[in-house]
Amino acid sequence: MNQTRPAPDLTAAQPRGCTNLLLRQLTRQVTQHYDVHMAAAGLKTTQYSLLSTVLQLGPARPVDLALALKMDPSTLTRNLKPLLAAGWVDLSAGPDARTRAVSITPAGRAKRSEAQRHWRLAQDGLNRILGLPQVVALHTLVQTSLALLAPAEAKVGDE
């Protein structure tokens, strides 16, 4: 006999603990998982993300990269330094004298291509550990949360 359970009453559910702490714990563990794989390519996960974004956006102003990555401009500058030193990205004059443009170099394209194989192993491993339905639900929750927080962040900046 097939009995179905009643759906849980989620209206009675209350968050337990600090959301920020839980998210930081999750991101630390996920970052460690990816960093193990990316280390085989000689990169940190943040460096791979930055190389990928520079490749995707083409020559881009640092401020546009920071916005795309939802990153503070000073953090972006700090993260660009090792990529510049390795010759994987280039910082050149922008369209006017006041701006600069970041672009990926041929060596950066090769490094990103090498690292992409390791990223795929990390992604597949996380999908296996968490299960695809959980990963899809996580992506949906994060994307929805980011969209909901964006207007709130803008209001805080305007005050």
Side-chain angles (χ1 to χ4, degrees), residues 25-145:
Q25 289 172 340
L26 175 63
T27 57
R28 274 194 291 272
Q29 282 194 288
V30 170
T31 298
Q32 288 169 359
H33 173 83
Y34 278 82
D35 278 345
V36 165
H37 290 275
M38 298 314 298
L43 290 175
K44 294 179 182 177
T45 303
T46 53
Q47 293 170 326
Y48 174 75
S49 296
L50 186 48
L51 275 177
S52 296
T53 303
V54 172
L55 177 64
Q56 179 186 11
L57 296 180
R61 298 178 315 157
V63 67
D64 294 329
L65 289 173
L67 284 171
L69 292 163
K70 297 185 181 359
M71 181 183 289
D72 185 75
S74 64
T75 302
L76 175 73
T77 299
R78 196 169 43 255
N79 289 346
L80 276 173
K81 285 181 181 178
L83 302 182
L84 287 162
W88 297 329
V89 297
D90 184 44
L91 188 61
S92 58
D96 62 55
R98 297 172 299 169
T99 61
R100 310 280 278 159
V102 180
S103 57
I104 194 165
T105 66
R109 286 178 187 273
K111 178 54 75 174
R112 195 245 178 216
S113 180
E114 173 194 350
Q116 191 171 24
R117 292 186 293 277
H118 298 286
W119 173 86
R120 173 50 49 204
L121 291 171
Q123 184 66 45
D124 290 345
L126 195 66
N127 291 348
R128 224 176 9 265
I129 292 165
L130 296 179
L132 279 176
Q134 185 77 1
V135 173
V136 169
L138 181 60
H139 281 224
T140 301
L141 179 60
V142 168
Q143 290 163 349
T144 301
S145 298

